[in-house]
Amino acid sequence: MLDDRITLDYGSGGQKTSELIETLLVPSFQNDALSRLGDGAVLPALPSQPVFSTDSFVVSPWRFPGGNVGKLAVCGTVNDVCMAGGEPLYLSLAMVIEEGFAMESLREIVQSAAETAREAGVQIVTGDTKVVERGACDGIYLNTAGIGALRAPGLSPRAIREGDSVIVSGSAGCHGAAVMMARAGLGGGALRSDCMALHRLSAAVLACGGVRVLRDPTRGGVATTLNEFVEGSALGVELEEDAIPVDEAVETACGLLGLDPLYCACEGRLLAVTAPEQTEQALAALRALPGGEQAARIGSVTARFPGRVTLRNAFGGSRVLAKLAGAQLPRIC
Amino acid sequence: MLDDRITLDYGSGGQKTSELIETLLVPSFQNDALSRLGDGAVLPALPSQPVFSTDSFVVSPWRFPGGNVGKLAVCGTVNDVCMAGGEPLYLSLAMVIEEGFAMESLREIVQSAAETAREAGVQIVTGDTKVVERGACDGIYLNTAGIGALRAPGLSPRAIREGDSVIVSGSAGCHGAAVMMARAGLGGGALRSDCMALHRLSAAVLACGGVRVLRDPTRGGVATTLNEFVEGSALGVELEEDAIPVDEAVETACGLLGLDPLYCACEGRLLAVTAPEQTEQALAALRALPGGEQAARIGSVTARFPGRVTLRNAFGGSRVLAKLAGAQLPRIC
């Protein structure tokens, strides 16, 4: 029987740690590699080169409309592996939990992580649990690392060419706006995080060919990610404001909070730069999948504004979208 | 130019995050995979099955005699990969840093991690930086995940046989005792953490053959790790108290603090259970290497006390060493 609240004992490496692992973690994540409970997991040989990624998750509040930190931690790393051209296969999950955290909340987070991993076709094969004293962390912080098998080599901002298309798979800024509204105590309504695993959407786009680079626009949002693509390059990106899908609920929330949706984090969207010949096919492939219905070509690569991202509005006016300088949204992921 | 103290901006994913990555992290860890700065690292194909492990590090204080959290984070995961039978190759490094943390301290931690990784022959190829508000973590927490190539398949407590030898590579409890003394403001003197990478020692033992299982006795120490080996099994472990190397400085510190060295964490020791025929060879191999000079056979596997670890003293008396029940030492790693 687990206690109602996390105590320091659960992070001791002793009896209580074993109980937590055996009664909550192993049954939730069930797979052979984890069940052997060694210091590390021994995995089957990979079919191709490894892709390796990690992220820590300190989102506040830990539960938000459309997900929680457990779901987010799985999606975040699954998506990073996908964006690097890999098929995600295995995850680690490490938890830093504050003394006094409710066991019921931990169960909710773990089950959400397990369910998301199942849907994404990845196994959580190794992990770690640390408990810190009351006041030494803000509830719970997670870290995931992921291993995938490379299926699309050579994806890189350096592969971008003049005339390429810029595609986004759905509405910008949902995750950031949803978390900020929840933090302000203004949750509810239609606004939900877009948090989802991008394994199907990225595979579909890659299958069309002609993909130069993929990236999920998390911290810093669409604007910052596109800036990273062209920073220091002889090419720039020209966006069409009207072409960028932004849900009405996000517009409203951003208006209230004084935020720009193009700088708000997404956690279930992909940005792709594709060759012009494959653009229509890529859009059709995305739109045919759940979570990709709103996929749109939002701009193109140009030599006119080297190293810059510009936004053109319906009246023909144009402004520069700089990289996010500071912390617009702390602890969004 | 980096600021003197970490601000929330450094975790924003924007300009400041890029500065931190480009002026501190990439130059410290220098390798091709990291320099490409994608969402994940694309690695060369592995020569054998992957071994995968992770740990978070919340040690307090972050600097202790013999190391700091950066060195510890590299050693901890390198060692877990080694103990699972792998040759460690690649690490991720994720940092959660508290607003206001001194940049000079972060530099010390990062450089220590980089140096330790170089010595251990592993590359830090991917990472993440999050900054949380003042009061939301206690200075800095690190996470590393590691990928190795399997070289010794089948290591498992289930491979242990009656009559096998139990070997430790050096003095028990140094890390736990050193951190607890530092926390009590009693640092100084001969007591230093044993924190070191075990890649050479584990390779040397494995080369002798006859190894059933390897484990580094971190949280819970030698006593808890040995309990994990025989839990629920028809075999037990009988230790000879006089044979277990415990440095005098550790004895003294544990006396002062009311701790038992056999339950204190090591971060640079390995426990091996080996076939009796290979024991002498394994001991000789360990003793020939730096950090293995005190290697000793400390006990044997017996059918007399199934599932138990017992300790026999010089007078022939015997007591049971149970698994650590609670948190003897919180935040030791």
Side-chain angles (χ1 to χ4, degrees):
Chain A
M1 268 299 282
L2 297 174
D3 301 333
D4 286 347
R5 300 213 163 254
I6 288 288
T7 61
L8 289 173
D9 292 349
Y10 284 106
S12 67
Q15 191 57 43
K16 286 277 195 183
T17 307
S18 301
E19 276 173 40
L20 190 67
I21 293 171
E22 283 156 27
T23 65
L24 179 59
L25 303 177
V26 170
S28 299
F29 300 140
Q30 37 185 305
N31 60 70
D32 289 349
L34 182 65
S35 312
R36 284 190 295 267
L37 294 178
D39 274 345
V42 176
L43 305 173
L46 298 175
S48 58
Q49 286 177 251
V51 176
F52 188 28
S53 187
T54 191
D55 263 327
S56 290
F57 298 86
V58 298
V59 62
S60 167
W62 64 261
R63 193 201 286 120
F64 47 81
N68 64 38
V69 66
K71 179 181 181 183
L72 182 64
V74 171
C75 292
T77 292
V78 160
N79 292 350
D80 282 349
V81 169
C82 291
M83 298 305 107
E87 179 187 358
L89 296 171
Y90 305 105
L91 291 186
S92 63
L93 175 67
M95 312 191 284
V96 176
I97 316 174
E98 186 178 6
E99 183 186 15
F101 196 70
M103 193 64 75
E104 213 32 56
S105 300
L106 182 62
R107 198 170 276 126
E108 178 181 338
I109 290 166
V110 165
Q111 283 169 356
S112 180
E115 194 181 308
T116 310
R118 250 191 316 275
E119 283 167 14
V122 296
Q123 294 187 326
I124 297 175
V125 293
T126 190
D128 180 48
T129 307
K130 294 286 189 306
V131 179
V132 295
E133 320 86 285
R134 232 172 269 268
C137 94
D138 187 14
I140 187 166
Y141 298 156
L142 300 185
N143 176 282
T144 47
I147 299 180
L150 186 66
R151 65 177 154 207
L155 296 179
S156 163
R158 276 171 293 189
I160 295 174
R161 298 284 167 266
E162 190 178 354
D164 283 350
S165 304
V166 178
I167 287 176
V168 70
S169 65
S171 168
C174 302
H175 177 75
V179 172
M180 290 307 280
M181 286 293 274
R183 198 179 299 169
L186 300 169
L191 182 61
R192 291 169 65 82
S193 163
D194 51 88
C195 181
M196 71 173 255
L198 292 168
H199 57 302
R200 288 200 190 88
L201 293 178
S202 57
V205 169
L206 289 170
C208 299
V211 179
R212 317 297 196 194
V213 64
L214 291 178
R215 200 67 60 90
D216 58 332
T218 57
R219 285 180 291 179
V222 167
T224 300
T225 302
L226 291 176
N227 268 285
E228 285 167 9
F229 285 173
V230 296
E231 226 168 21
S233 137
L235 298 171
V237 166
E238 210 169 1
L239 296 176
E240 303 290 335
E241 190 164 34
D242 286 352
I244 305 173
V246 180
D247 284 347
E248 212 180 300
V250 174
E251 294 273 22
T252 309
C254 283
L256 267 170
L257 298 164
L259 300 173
D260 182 338
L262 295 183
Y263 288 91
C264 277
C266 308
E267 290 288 347
R269 306 295 181 220
L270 66 78
L271 278 173
V273 179
T274 64
E277 304 76 34
Q278 274 87 16
T279 304
E280 283 309 313
Q281 201 189 337
L283 286 171
L286 287 172
R287 289 176 188 149
L289 288 169
E293 298 86 350
Q294 293 178 281
R297 179 181 180 284
I298 60 173
S300 58
V301 175
T302 169
R304 284 199 298 159
F305 313 105
R308 295 217 157 159
V309 178
T310 56
L311 183 71
R312 199 161 55 180
N313 65 25
F315 311 104
S318 198
R319 64 183 174 102
V320 172
L321 291 180
K323 199 167 170 177
L324 184 65
Q328 190 196 25
L329 303 172
R331 297 190 56 194
I332 217 69
C333 60
Chain B
M1 268 298 281
L2 296 174
D3 301 333
D4 287 347
R5 301 213 162 252
I6 288 288
T7 61
L8 288 174
D9 292 349
Y10 285 105
S12 66
Q15 192 58 43
K16 286 276 193 183
T17 307
S18 300
E19 275 173 42
L20 189 69
I21 293 171
E22 282 156 26
T23 65
L24 179 59
L25 303 176
V26 170
S28 300
F29 300 139
Q30 37 185 304
N31 59 71
D32 290 348
L34 182 64
S35 313
R36 283 190 294 268
L37 294 179
D39 275 344
V42 176
L43 305 173
L46 298 175
S48 57
Q49 286 176 250
V51 176
F52 187 29
S53 188
T54 191
D55 263 328
S56 290
F57 299 87
V58 298
V59 63
S60 166
W62 64 261
R63 193 201 286 119
F64 47 82
N68 64 37
V69 66
K71 180 181 181 184
L72 182 63
V74 170
C75 292
T77 292
V78 159
N79 292 351
D80 281 349
V81 169
C82 291
M83 298 304 107
E87 179 188 357
L89 297 171
Y90 305 105
L91 291 187
S92 63
L93 175 66
M95 313 192 282
V96 176
I97 316 172
E98 187 178 5
E99 182 186 16
F101 196 70
M103 192 65 74
E104 212 34 55
S105 301
L106 181 63
R107 198 171 273 126
E108 179 181 338
I109 290 166
V110 165
Q111 282 169 356
S112 181
E115 195 181 308
T116 310
R118 249 190 316 275
E119 283 166 16
V122 295
Q123 295 188 326
I124 297 176
V125 292
T126 190
D128 179 50
T129 307
K130 294 286 189 307
V131 179
V132 295
E133 319 87 286
R134 233 173 269 268
C137 94
D138 187 14
I140 186 167
Y141 297 155
L142 300 185
N143 175 282
T144 47
I147 298 179
L150 186 66
R151 65 178 153 208
L155 296 180
S156 163
R158 277 171 292 188
I160 295 175
R161 299 282 169 267
E162 191 177 354
D164 282 350
S165 303
V166 178
I167 288 175
V168 70
S169 66
S171 168
C174 302
H175 177 74
V179 172
M180 289 307 280
M181 287 295 273
R183 199 179 299 171
L186 299 169
L191 182 60
R192 290 169 66 82
S193 165
D194 51 270
C195 182
M196 71 174 254
L198 292 167
H199 57 301
R200 288 198 190 87
L201 293 178
S202 57
V205 170
L206 289 170
C208 299
V211 178
R212 317 296 197 195
V213 65
L214 291 177
R215 201 68 61 90
D216 58 332
T218 56
R219 284 179 291 179
V222 168
T224 299
T225 302
L226 291 176
N227 268 285
E228 285 169 4
F229 284 172
V230 296
E231 227 169 19
S233 136
L235 298 170
V237 166
E238 210 167 2
L239 297 176
E240 302 290 336
E241 189 163 33
D242 285 354
I244 305 173
V246 179
D247 285 347
E248 212 180 299
V250 175
E251 293 273 22
T252 308
C254 283
L256 268 171
L257 298 165
L259 300 174
D260 181 339
L262 296 183
Y263 288 91
C264 277
C266 309
E267 289 289 346
R269 306 296 181 217
L270 67 79
L271 278 173
V273 179
T274 64
E277 303 77 34
Q278 275 87 16
T279 304
E280 282 311 314
Q281 201 189 336
L283 286 171
L286 287 172
R287 288 176 188 147
L289 288 169
E293 298 86 351
Q294 294 178 280
R297 179 181 179 284
I298 60 173
S300 58
V301 175
T302 171
R304 285 201 296 158
F305 312 105
R308 294 216 155 159
V309 179
T310 58
L311 184 72
R312 199 159 59 179
N313 65 25
F315 311 105
S318 196
R319 64 180 172 101
V320 172
L321 292 180
K323 199 167 171 177
L324 183 65
Q328 191 197 26
L329 303 171
R331 298 190 55 192
I332 218 67
C333 60

